[in-house]
Amino acid sequence: MRIRLDISSFQTGGERSEDCCKGPPVSRDTCTEGPTHLSDRPYSRASGGKTRNLKCRSQATFGRFFEAACCCLIDRRVRPPKQYHHDAHAHSHLRSDVKKQHKKSTRPLQGHHPVAPEGVAEQGGGAVQTLVLSVQGMDCATCSPKVIRALLTLPSIQDVKVNTFTGQASMTYREGLVFPPDIAKRVTEFTGFVCTVLDDAQLSGKVRLLRIKVPTCTGSPREFPKLPPGVVILETSRTASSMTLDVQYDAAVIQPRTVLDIFVPFGGSFLPPSRSNASAQIGRENFLLFRRTLISAILCIPVIIFSWAPLRPHPIQYGAVSLFLATCIQIYVGAPLYSAACRALFLQHVLEMDALVVLSSTTAYVFSLVAYGMQVAGHGFSTPFFETPALLLTLITLGRLISAYARRRATSALDGLGSLQPELVNLVSTDGATATSIHVDLVQPHDVLRVSANTLVPTDGVVSRGSTQVDESALTGESRPVDKAPGVLLTAGTRNMTSCIDMEVTRAPAENTLAELTALVTRLQEARLPVQDLADRVAEWLAPVILAVAIAVFVIWVIIGLRVRGEDTKRASLAALRYAIAVLIVSCPCAVVLCVPMVIVIAGAVAIREGVLFKTATAVQHAKNATVAVFDKTGTLTFGNMTVVEARILREDAVGTVLALASESSHPVAKAVAEYLRAAYPHISAAPLPSKVQSLTGQGLQVTVDGVQVRGGSPSWLGLQSEPLYSVMMQKALSMFAVTFDTEVVVFFGLSDLPRPSARAAIEFLQRQGIQVHIVSGDAPPVVGALAKELGIPSARALGGCLPTAKVARVRALQTAGARVMFIGDGTNDTPALAAADIGVAMGGGTDAARSAADVVFLAPDLERALAALFRRSRGAVRRVCLNFAWAFVYNLFAVLLAAGAFLKVRIAPEYAGLGEIVSVVPVVLVAWSMRFLKY
């Protein structure tokens, strides 16, 4: 999203290039043929075809003017064949309607000189960047296609996602082909929405952004010392007294406070980032929409009274007041609709519902204006109906206000997550004596933070000093406080309840659990189901179809009036006009477009409160279809807190090496072995290892020490099934961990793990649902069989000794047999199976790899409760989507028939047709919101 700057190219005012005759370079997107410099072009048309060699200064001036004129003409009139390729999955239905245009001549931000890499124009642009725009003014569910169409007219724009709930649009683009300010300007020009580039960049991986303020007296950016690897100054802005630097750094290479220390000798200080508050922005937009609706209603009420109330007959006076009020409504309330309709029609070449509203209200207003003028002149031919355009626009605006408010309420989950991240933290000094308040963005791994009682935990970490109780209900839904002692994990966003503690940071705030959840919830709001493409296509064709129907209705009623009823032309045309206006207004595509996203967003928000996080919209749709549930054992059906219950140390001199080997792994078995050895042999420390330990997923660990191959892991991998100790521990159904020096066994451990209290209830719940339950585990088959027997799972469905490939093979075999497989796991070795399953479910306490591969994450430790919420919300969401689609179809069909006069005794008058926006949208919103109050 950021523009890379060549800092050495900054020039003071009045300086210019020595070779001024060369002129500014022009992108191939601006002029596809001919020389790449304006000064190389012959400007001969003004002089009868004769080329003139102008002076340097005049040529440059005319060249810039000619370039600007060419850009305007190319941008508005040239429609070349499609030549840019966009994401084939997202919004493919819009591409056929988008007329690709050449890119406008790009220009840098004021005071900045972005420099594209050499050969960018010839090679098709620089690196791919991500951009997020704030789009203000999207008050209707059908606004997102407008933004998408506008963005797809620019080169290199891909992966466009518009979130009408948060008022943001994200996309990717290539540096050098288009610049962020031009992207925002294009959206504003084509849609009328206020579009700005968000300050907070979306950077990939561990790339972060730090904003640093430096006094101007320190000089220009090029005077700073050479920056270390991984640090780049992206953007600079100046004021009279200071200079602001946007510094990008790689958190995998360098930490934030180290980056800040580079600029401290120059007077540099950290500037907290501007927290983009999408909810506040949407709240302001809703307030403006509410104000417009209220003013419209105030102006509309007298018009209705003058038209319908039994008052003394003063048609001229009443008409004058009605004309004035209706004109105010047309100008103030109708202006955004007129702007949107004209931009869509003339810039995007699309006929939308806004155009139908404008056409019908304008027709009614102009007809009433002419009728009133003729009435004043004494040649009245019809009674003006100013109440029709006034009430129509008022009701349309009211319907959009209700729809906007509903979308605002649907984003409450993001509001709640954002409020759980504190901005300031207390950093404990190295000696532990003092604590200094710093901004949370300056926190880095291995820092020690002090968390006072009744405050939020700022990021993920472990308790290093003190004990307390923590309320985790905001993330897991569990209301009971959880005890925390030294060494126990803490999660960002939870609340420390009782005592002051110190914690060691394990994950930076930018990548902690809270940041991860916020990103996933935002992604869910942007996610699309395949049925949404169909809904958008239906909404796209609705306006042209309704316009055709309205014309047909007008013609039919004119014929009926003349031929059947024997009316004169004036009366028949007036009646037909009212029917046509009603048809134009009464249909509403908003209900069709809102059917899916409103339900998905609310289902995700409600599920989070119950400890279930849907990562994708397809997971919401398909979770209910699972017919087989496959569980991992350790950490899923059991706590994963392994304890050593039997140990055989065959060589005590090997304890130090074994401790070092086990300490290199985060697997529950290795951690339990390391903890046991530290407690049993406190006088022995871990031996230094000459090389890095190699971890073999699903098997064990190995390293070479002084020419001896040291391996630790399951006895089956080590080939120890014939050992007597193996048989003894197998009979006790213990998990086993052994270490060998070459072929010599030096230690043998037997470990046990307790099943989760909710595991049996979870299995029984699935069996009641008719879902077949399996266990696949890397543990020994007798251990897996014993757990399966305890949980009520048939032994034939409990497989032990499974490597990750065997777990995937089991999932594939079940899918081949026609099953819809849900896999529930927590470890890195479960990642392939989670990705292969139809629905992958990861435990919240699992590894990052498992959570990344899964479609659903269980935040709550209660398996039965989480599974019940998963199926309940999936079924409820699909049921509501179907109900909403049925309502949208039935409403639009019968509303058009009623407005067209198909039912002779019942019809919708044009002044009431604006209620269609409310009548169609409100049921869709209520059906979606019912998930907050109903279990099914």
Side-chain angles (χ1 to χ4, degrees), residues 159-338:
D159 301 327
V160 179
K161 297 177 182 177
V162 178
N163 190 337
T164 57
F165 294 93
T166 59
Q168 294 180 355
S170 64
M171 71 220 69
T172 60
Y173 71 98
R174 284 193 175 274
E175 283 184 325
L177 291 182
V178 67
F179 292 97
D182 295 313
I183 297 175
K185 185 177 179 181
R186 175 59 62 92
V187 175
T188 300
E189 289 177 347
F190 272 51
T191 64
F193 303 143
V194 179
C195 186
T196 56
V197 178
L198 287 183
D199 290 336
D200 49 337
Q202 282 200 349
L203 303 174
S204 59
K206 286 187 171 291
V207 180
R208 304 282 179 263
L209 197 69
L210 207 63
R211 183 161 293 172
I212 299 175
K213 184 177 181 181
V214 181
T216 306
C217 60
T218 59
S220 65
R222 57 189 169 191
E223 295 179 2
F224 294 136
K226 183 177 179 181
L227 299 177
V231 180
V232 178
I233 299 178
L234 293 181
E235 193 170 308
T236 308
S237 61
R238 289 175 176 269
T239 63
S241 60
S242 65
M243 178 170 50
T244 301
L245 307 177
D246 283 350
V247 182
Q248 178 181 297
Y249 67 96
D250 188 349
V253 178
I254 191 170
Q255 296 301 322
R257 293 202 300 276
T258 306
V259 175
L260 181 60
D261 290 342
I262 299 172
F263 300 92
V264 168
F266 300 89
S269 60
F270 172 73
L271 280 180
S274 58
R275 302 290 182 185
S276 61
N277 194 338
S279 298
Q281 171 190 312
I282 296 174
R284 288 191 295 270
E285 293 180 23
N286 288 353
F287 173 75
L288 295 177
L289 188 58
F290 169 77
R291 186 176 65 182
R292 188 184 306 131
T293 305
L294 180 62
I295 293 175
S296 181
I298 293 173
L299 296 175
C300 182
I301 290 174
V303 180
I304 296 175
I305 293 174
F306 291 148
S307 299
W308 296 346
L311 303 176
R312 292 181 179 180
H314 298 289
I316 303 300
Q317 293 83 346
Y318 295 159
V321 177
S322 297
L323 171 61
F324 172 75
L325 296 176
T327 303
C328 293
I329 293 176
Q330 287 289 128
I331 296 174
Y332 178 70
V333 180
L337 298 174
Y338 279 91

